């Protein structure tokens, strides 16, 4: 009897909390983890009826999940290509909305075991470089930076090929790349500037000239299978608007290019 | 009274026959449908003419075969003496030792990968000195083998320990009375009698090593031809929405099924043989 009373008391207490009317499932690029958690808190405080749950991974992996029909409301990608692919396949409601920009950084572990002082050192034999799987946005951006470095006047001959030879692993996503450089398991990696900043003193950034750096454009879409398209679209609009920008900016994200 | 007995008979036959069969059919569907769906998908991929992806699948297959064979060798080399010790001369604190040996079976592979990184990583307890000597373990094929051995060897040790324990001491003593030395008794009496258990342990260990994913991707990374085994390839290629994922997955399914079935048939053969002579 007392158990019953206790159980019903718990139930009543549970109902007492204002349960959000809707929960949006947001799949987001791994590089958005910290910023989106903050965005989730900020959004919940101003939109009491909406709760956000996140899943972070490589944008390419998340795009595949959306294609497979995963219960997704919003997909926020570290590039425009992956959302556009969904838009073109008719798997979204509306077009992709750019909401942030990022740059790349070249990081080494704090101890800098390979003694890397400039990007040209990445081509030295024996340097262990990390990147992500070929279709993950960070790997594509890194390839572009490497191509730009190779085209610089005075670049070592065969720079791009040497960098490719020095690559020891293609990790799942940008966050895994950062984690293994922080652990000191690899000598260097191209990562997002925001991730380099979040890693703090655990890594050191090797200066990259602006002319070889690239701009990463982040874009979000509302998935066709969204259970609450209106709430999902409202979140995307918030993200791309002044409120979203002011939440993302402290993490180092720029306005969309 | 008779109707009551009759009712009970009917209920018993329902419980003993029809119900288990019904449940079993459901279970077979649950296991079989995903496998069938995968194979059907692979069959409809059509001509697999992506040369680069094809080479990646082949590389991953070769790497998986080489690394699992090596891991299995290491599991036997180190596992058999350990199993022998536990079965025949259990040291003090054997319970703790056995628990420790079984631990990788329960540990999530990602935990194993993290732990291995802290030991064999470049900042690790052993990996640090090794790296100073110029041998970097993470992201190498050696790391793949270490990860597989770590997670798979316990399956062999478990089976071997039970198999060795089940060999009757009387049979060994009889051989000793006949003048057999300890090594001869072990080689010609104990090990052959424990062989079915050892074989079963080998198969379990091999299957676990072949399927190893989490510890490998955390500790050995993912690089074609070096550390990208079949399970890692399936994951990577799926993210690229490539047919190679389906092809590689089917190879894994067919290989695993083939080996499990082969061993089962071989063991049935040897059991019949024993039955015939005994």
């Amino acid at each position: 009897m007392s158990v019953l009373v206790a159980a019903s008391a718990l139930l009543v207490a549970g109902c007492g909390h204002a349960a959000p009317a809707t929960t949006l499932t947001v799949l987001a690029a791994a590089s958005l983890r910290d910023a989106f958690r903050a965005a989730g808190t900020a959004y919940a405080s101003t939109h009491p009826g909406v709760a956000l749950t996140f899943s972070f991974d490589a944008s390419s992996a998340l795009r595949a999940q959306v294609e497979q029909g995963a219960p997704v409301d919003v997909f926020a990608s570290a590039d425009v290509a992956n959302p556009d692919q969904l838009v073109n396949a008719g798997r979204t409601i509306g077009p992709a909305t750019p909401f942030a920009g990022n740059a790349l950084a070249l990081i080494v572990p704090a101890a800098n075991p390979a003694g890397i002082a400039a990007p040209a050192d990445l081509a030295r034999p024996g340097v262990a470089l990390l990147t992500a799987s070929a279709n993950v946005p960070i790997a594509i951006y890194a390839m572009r930076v490497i191509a730009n470095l190779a085209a610089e006047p005075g670049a070592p001959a065969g720079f791009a090929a040497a960098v490719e030879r020095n690559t020891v692993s293609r990790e799942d996503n940008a966050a895994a790349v950062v984690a293994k450089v922080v652990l000191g398991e690899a000598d260097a990696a191209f990562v997002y500037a925001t991730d380099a900043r979040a890693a703090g003193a655990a890594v050191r950034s090797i200066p990259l000239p602006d002319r070889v750096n690239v701009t990463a454009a982040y874009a979000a879409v509302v998935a066709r299978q969204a259970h609450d398209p209106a709430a999902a679209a409202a979140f995307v609009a918030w993200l791309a608007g002044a409120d979203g920008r002011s939440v993302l900016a402290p993490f180092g994200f720029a306005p969309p290019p | 009274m008779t109707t009551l007995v009759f009712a009970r008979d009917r209920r018993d036959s329902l419980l003993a026959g029809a119900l288990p069969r019904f449940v079993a059919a459901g279970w077979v569907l649950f296991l079989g449908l995903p496998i069938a769906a995968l194979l059907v998908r692979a069959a409809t991929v059509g001509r697999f003419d992506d040369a680069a992806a094809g080479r990646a699948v082949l590389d991953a297959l070769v790497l998986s075969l080489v690394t699992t064979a090596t891991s299995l060798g290491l599991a036997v080399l180190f596992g058999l003496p350990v199993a022998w010790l536990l079965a025949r001369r259990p040291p003090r604190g054997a319970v703790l030792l056995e628990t420790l040996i079984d631990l990788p079976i329960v540990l999530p592979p990602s935990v194993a990968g993290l732990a291995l990184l802290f030991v064999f990583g470049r900042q690790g307890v052993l990996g640090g000195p090794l790296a100073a000597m110029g041998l970097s373990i993470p992201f190498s094929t050696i790391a793949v083998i270490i990860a597989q051995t770590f997670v798979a060897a316990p399956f062999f040790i478990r089976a071997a320990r039970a198999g060795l324990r089940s060999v009757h001491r009387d049979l060994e003593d009889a051989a000793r009375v006949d003048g057999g030395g300890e090594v001869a008794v072990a080689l010609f009496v104990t090990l052959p009698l424990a062989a079915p258990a050892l074989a079963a342990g080998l198969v379990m260990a091999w299957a676990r090593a072949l399927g190893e994913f989490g510890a490998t991707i955390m500790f050995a990374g993912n690089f074609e031809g070096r550390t990208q085994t079949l399970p890692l390839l399936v994951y990577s290629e799926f993210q690229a929405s490539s047919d190679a994922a389906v092809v590689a997955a089917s190879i894994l399914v067919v290989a695993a099924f083939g080996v499990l079935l082969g061993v089962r048939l071989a063991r049935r053969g040897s059991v019949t043989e024993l039955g015939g002579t005994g």
Side-chain angles (χ1 to χ4, degrees):
Chain A
M1 187 61 199
S2 59
V3 174
L4 265 178
V5 171
S8 46
L10 268 175
L11 269 174
V12 171
C15 295
H17 287 282
T22 190
T23 299
L24 295 179
T25 302
V26 180
L27 303 190
S31 50
L32 290 168
R33 184 186 299 259
D34 295 344
F36 264 34
R37 285 198 176 139
T41 313
Y43 197 71
S45 67
T46 50
H47 299 73
V50 185
L52 300 172
T53 60
F54 296 109
S55 172
F56 300 100
D57 203 340
S59 301
S60 45
L62 299 174
R63 194 247 312 132
Q65 288 181 24
V66 177
E67 281 171 354
Q68 301 289 326
V72 179
D73 296 291
V74 174
F75 166 49
S77 177
D79 64 2
V80 182
N82 278 297
D84 272 351
Q85 200 173 326
L86 292 173
V87 171
N88 294 335
R91 294 193 166 277
T92 64
I93 300 171
T97 306
F99 66 89
N102 209 342
L104 260 58
L106 174 59
I107 58 166
V108 300
N112 196 3
I116 288 167
D121 294 337
L122 299 181
R124 276 205 327 248
V127 173
L129 299 180
L130 276 188
T131 187
S133 292
N135 50 301
V136 176
I138 185 64
I140 296 168
Y141 293 131
M143 289 281 282
R144 273 191 226 151
V145 173
I146 290 162
N148 291 346
L149 284 167
E152 286 276 281
F159 177 78
V163 167
E164 175 67 27
R165 261 198 310 281
N166 282 344
T167 302
V168 293
S169 180
R170 294 187 165 279
E171 299 291 311
D172 289 358
N173 56 51
V177 175
V178 178
K180 285 185 182 172
V181 176
V182 167
L183 273 179
E185 298 302 343
D187 295 326
F190 287 102
V191 300
Y192 292 110
T194 50
D195 282 339
R197 176 182 172 140
V203 300
R204 204 186 298 176
S205 287
I206 305 299
L208 270 183
D210 281 345
R211 61 179 183 280
V212 300
N213 211 328
V214 296
T215 302
Y218 286 59
V221 284
V222 175
R224 192 180 61 192
Q225 61 262 41
H227 82 284
D228 191 342
F235 173 66
V236 171
W238 177 88
L239 198 59
D243 290 338
R245 201 153 302 158
S246 69
V247 173
L248 297 183
F251 293 91
F253 285 97
Chain B
M1 190 64 189
T2 47
T3 52
L4 194 70
V5 171
F6 181 63
R8 202 178 59 195
D9 279 357
R10 267 192 50 170
R11 197 192 56 202
D12 284 357
S13 80
L14 183 74
L15 281 178
L19 189 64
R21 226 169 277 159
F22 182 72
V23 173
W27 186 249
V28 167
L29 270 182
F30 176 64
L31 288 183
L33 265 183
I35 302 293
L38 184 67
L39 295 180
V40 165
R41 187 72 179 262
T44 54
V45 159
R47 237 187 72 214
F48 185 60
D49 52 5
D50 183 344
R55 204 189 51 233
V57 172
L58 193 65
D59 280 353
L61 179 65
V62 170
L63 185 70
S64 272
L65 291 178
V66 170
T67 52
T68 53
T70 313
S71 310
L72 216 51
L74 290 173
V76 173
L77 189 66
F78 292 101
L80 202 51
V82 173
W84 185 278
L85 193 71
L86 289 172
R88 288 300 148 92
R89 303 219 153 69
R92 280 204 308 166
V95 180
L96 275 180
L97 187 60
E98 288 188 8
T99 310
L100 180 69
I101 288 168
D102 285 348
L103 195 58
I105 295 177
V106 222
L107 278 186
S110 54
V111 175
L114 197 60
L116 287 172
L117 211 45
F118 289 147
V119 174
F120 294 102
R122 298 204 311 186
Q123 317 285 318
V125 185
L126 298 176
L130 283 174
M133 284 156 50
L135 179 65
S136 179
I137 306 268
F139 310 121
S140 69
T141 307
I142 297 174
V144 177
I145 294 167
I146 292 176
Q148 288 176 351
T149 308
F150 187 84
V151 300
F155 288 92
F156 173 72
I157 297 177
R158 252 181 107 89
R161 185 180 65 202
L164 291 172
R165 246 178 218 160
S166 69
V167 173
H168 276 291
R169 290 296 184 84
D170 300 351
L171 294 171
E172 294 174 348
D173 289 341
R176 283 193 196 98
V177 170
D178 288 346
E182 283 306 313
V183 174
V185 170
L187 280 182
F188 299 115
V189 179
T190 317
L191 285 180
L193 283 171
L198 298 183
L202 276 181
V203 172
M204 284 304 296
W206 178 77
R208 181 64 191 84
L210 183 70
E212 191 355 80
F213 174 78
T216 309
I217 206 158
M218 288 204 64
F219 172 51
N222 181 21
F223 200 83
E224 193 186 319
R226 208 180 303 150
T227 62
Q228 188 178 69
T229 54
L230 275 176
L232 272 67
L233 176 97
V234 171
Y235 185 71
S236 290
E237 294 293 327
F238 171 72
Q239 298 193 355
S241 305
S242 158
D243 289 337
V246 181
V247 172
S250 309
I251 292 176
L252 266 177
V253 168
V254 171
F257 192 84
V259 167
L260 291 179
L261 185 70
V263 169
R264 204 154 284 244
L265 292 179
R267 277 177 72 195
R268 200 158 71 179
S270 71
V271 169
T272 331
E273 211 171 57
L274 276 178
T277 53

